[in-house]
Amino acid sequence: MDGTLTEPVHDFELIRRELQIPSGADILEHLASLPAQQAADSHAWLMQHERELAEASVAAPGAVALIRALHAEGCRLGILTRNARELAEVTLAAIGVAECFAVEEIIGRWEVAPKPSPAGLQFFAERWAVAPAAMRMVGDHYYDLATARAAGVPGILINVPGDPWPGMAQWQLRDCAQLLEQWQASALG
């Protein structure tokens, strides 16, 4: 959600330094490789750090209007995050859209293999009984697009200037406000 529905605030290099993770390494993969007690201690620090960020979340431009419009139209909405489910719930409450998401449709790093695994999108396709091609994955990171591609779901890249991952996104839009405009014009199906 950080960088998609909310203003990006995670400083991943700071997290790596605090947890003694090599620069550029995948944080979750690294923590999974640690001895049990060290992993538990690192996850506890990470949860506290991320809770503080979640409580202070600020909605990204157009995010609240987009979520409310999709919800009002009866669109099925899910959250797939590399964060913990409980922190995603805190974030959604902080930006004022918690009521738009069923708790069981907020999938975090403990519920399924984290992005870029397609497991989360496969969960939604099965739960909602829809073909992956009928879904849309909206995100701001390579992991979001790789997850979408692996699951056969069209990916929408937002809040990222330029085209840092050519050919990965089916659509690239400025922000949630432009996504809402495009959806209302039925350009994205």
Side-chain angles (χ1 to χ4, degrees):
M1 294 183 344
D2 180 58
T4 302
L5 295 181
T6 63
E7 291 291 336
V9 293
H10 281 74
D11 182 340
F12 295 109
E13 286 306 315
L14 169 85
I15 292 169
R16 288 181 184 99
R17 281 192 308 275
E18 289 293 323
L19 297 177
Q20 299 177 355
I21 298 171
S23 181
D26 184 284
I27 294 167
L28 297 180
E29 286 179 11
H30 182 84
L31 295 182
S33 73
L34 296 175
Q37 187 58 55
Q38 186 180 358
D41 292 345
S42 294
H43 277 292
W45 182 91
L46 184 59
M47 286 291 287
Q48 180 56 40
H49 178 73
E50 289 178 324
R51 178 172 297 284
E52 292 168 8
L53 297 177
E55 290 169 349
S57 292
V58 174
V64 171
L66 173 66
I67 295 301
R68 291 197 181 287
L70 293 171
H71 185 258
E73 286 295 318
C75 294
R76 301 295 303 261
L77 300 174
I79 296 289
L80 179 59
T81 180
R82 287 175 56 96
N83 210 315
R85 172 190 277 172
E86 69 186 79
L87 299 180
E89 292 173 30
V90 170
T91 300
L92 293 170
I95 65 171
V97 295
E99 74 281 359
C100 297
F101 296 89
V103 172
E104 58 275 3
E105 294 179 351
I106 300 171
I107 305 301
R109 61 181 170 234
W110 307 118
E111 286 73 42
V112 297
K115 297 181 284 186
S117 166
L121 292 179
Q122 292 165 341
F123 166 84
F124 287 124
E126 183 177 320
R127 179 174 176 79
W128 298 337
V130 298
M135 297 168 41
R136 300 295 181 264
M137 172 69 165
V138 180
D140 72 318
H141 191 273
Y142 174 81
Y143 283 162
D144 300 314
L145 301 177
T147 300
R149 178 169 280 188
V153 173
I156 303 172
L157 181 64
I158 62 169
N159 300 333
V160 178
D163 189 6
W165 307 289
M168 291 293 291
Q170 277 68 29
W171 298 280
Q172 183 173 1
L173 302 169
R174 177 188 68 248
D175 55 22
C176 290
Q178 187 179 25
L179 176 53
L180 176 57
E181 292 168 9
Q182 292 293 316
W183 175 73
Q184 289 172 329
S186 298
L188 299 177

